[in-house]
Amino acid sequence: MKKLHVRKAAVLGAGVMGAQIAAHLANAGVPVVLFDLAAREGDRNGIVRKALDGLKKLEPAPLSSKDKLKYIDAANYDEHLPLLAECDLVIEAIAERMDWKNDLYAKIAPFLSSTAIVASNTSGLSMNALAQGLPAAVRPRFCGIHFFNPPRYMRLVEIIATEGTDAATLDALETWLTSRLGKGVIRALDTPNFVANRIGVFSILAVMHHTRAFGLGFDVVDALTGPKIGRPKSATYRTADVVGLDTLAHVIRTMRDTLPNDPWHAHFQSPDYLFALIEQGALGQKTRGGIFKKIGKDICVLDPASGDYRPSAGELSAEVAAILKERNLATRFAALRAANDPQAQFLWAIFRDVFHYAAVQLEHIADNARDLDFAMRWGFGWAQGPFETWQAAGWADIAQAIAADIAAGKAMSAKPLPPWALEAGRTGVHAPAGSYSARRNAYAPRSALPVYQRQLFPECVLGEGSATPEQSGETLYQNDGVRLWTLPAVDAGIGIISIKSKMHAIGAEVIEGVRAAVARAEAGLSGLVIWHEAPFAVGANLAQVADVCATGDFAKVDRFVAEFQNATMAIKYAQVPVVAAVQGMGLGGGCEFAMHAARRVLALESYMGLVEAGVGLIPAGGGCKEFALQAAAWAAPTATPNEVLAFIQPTFMNIATAKVSKSAHEAIGYGFARATDTILFNADELLHVAIKEARALADAGYAPQPRARGIPVAGRAGIAALEMTLVNMRDGGFISAYDYRVARAAAVALCGGEIEGGSLVDEAWLLRIEREQFVALLKNPETQARIKHMLDTGKPLRN
């Protein structure tokens, strides 16, 4: 198979999307040339430099670490087009104007490499029409590559072929996007708005239509169309504000202009209140006001009848709240259809019309139902795609209900459901054999591209029937906390430890299970991987800690912490390599498990931190000890206490402020992982790569490092120096008196205790110091109050 190597890329257009696409390429270590127009005055690259400065300020951060900015070079079309000859991938991301894009293509064509892939990030223009603006020799290497905003975080990328795009080029690009950039790739057809925006924008239009029809407030609709039905927290109208009301109006206008024969065409228009807000310059989040607006301390919502804002409430009716608690979707949908409550009727209507639209348009916009459902999951953040929801709710009953509503004139279009949707005996569109393709009237299997073999447990659609990790492999040992298992078809010699507790919290049963699993691996396996689906682990089981505190048996707490330390040390000094496969949150004890592994394989979106300060504690599973070891290793062997302290200082602040990395790159920068660790952009590849890493270490004759001893510590002088920082923070009002107490305990643990600076200690000493500090803090009412508040509210208490 043809392999794509992107040694350098170019992004044309330094707007919001172009700059963020460049940022994500830089996250992946790809050098990028970011182009835009030459500035009329001053620095000719001023437009691009302003965009690059903006990347530093955006939230969520488009850069996985600020130093990634060094991979992006600023350029302009007047002076730097020859740089395109060095680029293997050129992504055009300028405004949605066919004439502007054609002018740019004519300008860049003479400078393109003869092998470069050229792609447009258009969100809906015809790719076949755009291809006509390029020389014939370039067209086989031209396609659409539609990223979703923000590009770092949104998984979906739609690839759109033209009639002349080379098939091998598409396969190579899909492979590269999947593994190198971590994307979920959908092959979309060359139709307006492609797949996700076609269905997603229609869904917004359906919500707007039925908001008016049922007389509901925008805040009520957002309460109905958010997490309660498996949609993002921003729901519908807040999402419109985030996207930008002008952008939404543009996309709707594109649908109206390019889809004149769509049976729902009459609904492709923005409501009057949207035009009024745009005229006023109230474009949503970017102008600090749109459908929602913060007035003083209150979040207010537009009342379209009066044109004024009122306080946002957004409460569900008691009847609908009860219906939405029903887990069985068939029962839930039957109750929505039968209810007289306007909110219930609204919910049935918006689902009905999206089901109807997706069924009619499937053959025109996507190869199969799986692609459409994944597009909505990955591009719009839906928990399930429309066909999955329909199938789970009982395909035949829902199909008959839709057909009845169409016949009664209740649906948004009189277009009948396609015959395949009403076939006798049909129970859905997803099955173990594949997902239904209306274009081929057949079930389409998953892609056979080799890159997907790296995904041992890929994301599945409902009804696909793929085995879950819990149902797979051979179990070697398990207790209530962990399961030790292998995948013989992959590597029977590498064990997998999967934590089974809620959010993978670390309690007594997990600690016991980890130690037993390591012992079994030493007796009969070549290596171990700690892996389960995200989160990696959210820290210690606080409920267990609180229960022991309530008894006042602090000797038992000391034993618990000692056992936890024994587990992390068992991981570190196992006679077989232990690889931690981290994704999502790796906090507190979870971070300590990962820190003690021989190697880490990290998903880019790994959020690691020693966050115990938030509940009035310090790391005591070896986290402080590991940082003391790092400081000693970084300093010279004959280091003075001050030299050791120089490495302790930043670590101390990270622990004292419960700092959490915002990416795997930051986790390495904070010392929670190592520069030699592996970072993957596609979390579905973690288990595959971690098993390979463990096998490679084992085959290379792995042996654990000798137990550390002769460790120089900063001692009393270091503690005193760190206290000076704390005094300034306390007196300046940045921390409370008890924050000071907790942070000082961390200083004691990091500096090796109240001993002479420069003293040489061993790991057992450091573990004892951090354990003593942990237990002493736990005896304080302030720490106990923090733990209770966290358990009750999920939020830290500042006391």
Side-chain angles (χ1 to χ4, degrees):
M1 177 185 148
K2 177 180 178 181
K3 188 168 184 179
L4 176 61
H5 295 285
V6 180
R7 287 163 285 246
K8 182 181 280 190
V11 177
L12 312 179
V16 173
M17 281 300 290
Q20 291 195 70
I21 291 169
H24 196 53
L25 291 167
N27 290 338
V30 177
V32 189
V33 186
L34 179 59
F35 283 85
D36 212 300
L37 298 169
R40 294 179 180 178
E41 297 177 359
D43 181 0
R44 300 277 279 165
N45 292 330
I47 294 173
V48 175
R49 294 199 195 284
K50 184 178 179 181
L52 295 179
D53 286 341
L55 291 176
K56 303 173 192 175
K57 304 167 189 172
L58 282 176
E59 288 293 339
L63 294 163
S64 59
S65 64
K66 290 180 181 178
D67 69 339
K68 295 300 175 184
L69 207 56
K70 67 188 178 186
Y71 288 108
I72 308 176
D73 292 328
N76 66 77
Y77 303 127
D78 289 354
E79 299 175 303
H80 303 119
L81 287 180
L83 294 175
L84 291 173
E86 305 169 11
C87 298
D88 301 302
L89 175 62
V90 178
I91 299 174
E92 170 268 304
I94 68 170
E96 295 288 272
R97 284 272 301 267
M98 185 78 73
D99 54 340
W100 290 0
K101 291 178 187 288
N102 284 335
D103 287 346
L104 181 58
Y105 294 171
K107 187 179 291 187
I108 67 171
F111 300 96
L112 295 170
S113 160
S114 61
T115 58
I117 295 175
V118 182
S120 174
N121 185 57
T122 178
S123 60
L125 295 178
S126 167
M127 295 309 306
N128 282 295
L130 284 173
Q132 299 309 307
L134 286 163
V138 177
R139 292 174 197 168
R141 295 178 277 114
F142 177 70
C143 65
I145 181 173
H146 183 210
F147 289 83
F148 277 67
N149 190 24
R152 171 182 163 186
Y153 301 95
M154 296 303 291
R155 187 172 180 185
L156 181 63
V157 169
E158 293 172 319
I159 292 180
I160 309 96
T162 71
E163 293 172 356
T165 306
D166 174 60
T169 295
L170 291 173
D171 288 349
L173 183 59
E174 179 173 347
T175 297
W176 187 83
L177 287 167
T178 299
S179 200
R180 187 68 182 272
L181 294 193
K183 296 304 176 184
V185 176
I186 296 298
R187 301 278 187 103
L189 305 182
D190 188 20
T191 54
N193 286 5
F194 310 129
V195 182
N197 277 345
R198 183 73 173 271
I199 301 298
V201 175
F202 175 79
S203 174
I204 292 172
L205 288 168
V207 168
M208 289 178 167
H209 172 78
H210 292 300
T211 299
R212 293 192 300 271
F214 291 100
L216 301 179
F218 298 141
D219 50 345
V220 171
V221 169
D222 271 13
L224 289 165
T225 59
K228 296 286 186 185
I229 61 168
R231 306 279 173 84
K233 194 174 179 180
S234 57
T236 302
Y237 291 106
R238 286 184 189 276
T239 295
D241 275 348
V242 170
V243 168
L245 302 185
D246 53 340
T247 302
L248 177 60
H250 171 76
V251 174
I252 294 170
R253 185 165 58 250
T254 298
M255 290 181 72
R256 184 169 185 81
D257 293 345
T258 58
L259 295 166
N261 298 319
D262 189 298
W264 284 262
H265 184 264
H267 298 286
F268 296 169
Q269 54 188 349
S270 299
D272 292 342
Y273 63 80
L274 199 64
F275 286 126
L277 287 170
I278 293 169
E279 269 190 27
Q280 296 164 21
L283 307 180
Q285 185 171 280
K286 57 190 173 185
T287 60
R288 299 188 178 182
I291 294 171
F292 288 89
K293 183 177 183 179
K294 190 171 184 180
I295 302 175
K297 294 184 178 180
D298 297 325
I299 301 297
C300 296
V301 64
L302 180 72
D303 179 350
S306 67
D308 292 329
Y309 288 88
R310 59 170 175 78
S312 176
E315 295 183 358
L316 273 59
S317 69
E319 183 176 5
V320 166
I323 291 172
L324 294 180
K325 287 179 182 177
E326 172 59 54
R327 288 178 170 270
N328 184 289
L329 282 188
T331 304
R332 182 191 295 184
F333 272 87
L336 290 175
R337 294 199 305 273
N340 292 319
D341 187 305
Q343 291 185 14
Q345 293 174 349
F346 165 83
L347 283 175
W348 162 243
I350 64 169
F351 275 107
R352 174 199 65 211
D353 288 318
V354 170
F355 294 161
H356 185 192
Y357 191 76
V360 169
Q361 300 298 350
L362 176 60
E363 67 176 302
H364 305 296
I365 64 174
D367 176 72
N368 59 73
R370 178 179 53 250
D371 285 354
L372 190 150
D373 277 348
F374 274 153
M376 296 313 299
R377 282 202 205 178
W378 298 340
F380 277 75
W382 292 12
Q384 290 184 327
F387 289 128
E388 291 180 279
T389 304
W390 184 348
Q391 185 164 328
W395 186 276
D397 286 347
I398 294 292
Q400 291 300 325
I402 295 171
D405 277 6
I406 294 170
K410 295 180 180 179
M412 290 172 67
S413 170
K415 177 77 174 178
L417 280 171
W420 62 262
L422 293 163
E423 285 176 349
R426 178 174 289 281
T427 57
V429 291
H430 302 304
S435 292
Y436 183 71
S437 171
R439 301 172 69 219
R440 290 178 274 162
N441 191 27
Y443 278 77
R446 279 181 171 261
S447 170
L449 287 177
V451 69
Y452 294 113
Q453 294 172 16
R454 294 166 58 87
Q455 300 181 12
L456 301 183
F457 295 99
E459 187 173 341
C460 296
V461 288
L462 181 81
E464 198 167 0
S466 299
T468 65
E470 295 77 14
Q471 300 165 325
S472 303
E474 179 183 341
T475 300
L476 305 181
Y477 159 82
Q478 64 180 325
N479 68 353
D480 290 341
V482 307
R483 176 190 179 214
L484 173 64
W485 54 296
T486 61
L487 279 170
V490 179
D491 191 329
I494 303 298
I496 304 164
I497 297 177
S498 295
I499 298 176
K500 300 193 296 184
S501 57
K502 184 178 180 181
M503 299 293 284
H504 308 128
I506 300 168
E509 67 286 352
V510 172
I511 292 167
E512 176 191 345
V514 166
R515 293 192 67 190
V518 170
R520 289 189 177 235
E522 290 176 323
L525 295 171
S526 301
L528 272 176
V529 169
I530 304 175
W531 174 88
H532 35 252
E533 295 178 339
F536 180 71
V538 295
N541 186 326
L542 286 179
Q544 286 187 3
V545 175
D547 287 346
V548 177
C549 281
T551 69
D553 188 353
F554 291 101
K556 185 174 182 181
V557 173
D558 187 82
R559 291 192 298 272
F560 173 84
V561 178
E563 285 301 306
F564 189 10
Q565 292 175 340
N566 289 337
T568 58
M569 293 293 276
I571 290 170
K572 182 172 183 176
Y573 292 111
Q575 296 303 303
V576 296
V578 180
V579 176
V582 181
Q583 60 175 314
M585 292 182 291
L587 306 177
C591 185
E592 288 172 310
F593 270 3
M595 289 175 71
H596 284 80
R599 191 73 55 85
R600 284 143 296 277
V601 177
L602 308 168
L604 176 69
E605 302 307 332
S606 292
Y607 313 121
M608 300 178 69
L610 298 174
V611 296
E612 288 83 355
V615 288
L617 295 169
I618 66 166
C624 294
K625 176 263 300 180
E626 282 297 297
F627 277 120
L629 289 177
Q630 286 183 28
W634 287 334
T638 57
T640 67
N642 282 340
E643 287 173 319
V644 174
L645 181 64
F647 294 98
I648 289 288
Q649 182 83 38
T651 295
F652 167 70
M653 290 305 299
N654 288 341
I655 291 175
T657 58
K659 190 83 168 180
V660 176
S661 73
K662 294 181 180 179
S663 71
H665 291 123
E666 281 195 358
I668 291 172
Y670 293 159
F672 302 132
R674 305 286 181 271
T676 52
D677 290 333
T678 300
I679 295 176
L680 297 177
F681 277 51
N682 195 319
D684 286 344
E685 297 180 353
L686 272 181
L687 181 57
H688 167 84
V689 174
I691 289 173
K692 296 291 186 186
E693 292 258 12
R695 170 52 63 192
L697 288 170
D699 288 350
Y702 176 82
Q705 58 185 304
R707 289 183 180 256
R709 55 186 178 178
I711 307 159
V713 295
R716 293 189 194 93
I719 297 168
L722 295 176
E723 276 197 280
M724 290 177 62
T725 302
L726 294 177
V727 168
N728 291 333
M729 293 176 70
R730 182 194 61 198
D731 293 349
F734 297 105
I735 62 173
S736 69
Y738 196 66
D739 290 331
Y740 180 103
R741 169 72 181 86
V742 174
R744 188 187 186 282
V748 172
L750 288 166
C751 293
E754 305 272 5
I755 59 175
E756 192 66 31
S759 297
L760 302 181
V761 302
D762 60 14
E763 285 186 272
W765 174 277
L766 293 170
L767 287 170
R768 180 178 63 80
I769 296 296
E770 67 177 42
R771 186 171 69 251
E772 288 174 352
Q773 294 298 315
F774 181 95
V775 174
L777 287 170
L778 201 54
K779 293 177 181 178
N780 293 330
E782 293 89 346
T783 287
Q784 294 174 21
R786 288 188 179 193
I787 291 172
K788 183 178 186 304
H789 191 269
M790 180 64 74
L791 288 170
D792 291 345
T793 69
K795 298 177 182 178
L797 171 67
R798 294 293 303 277
N799 58 357

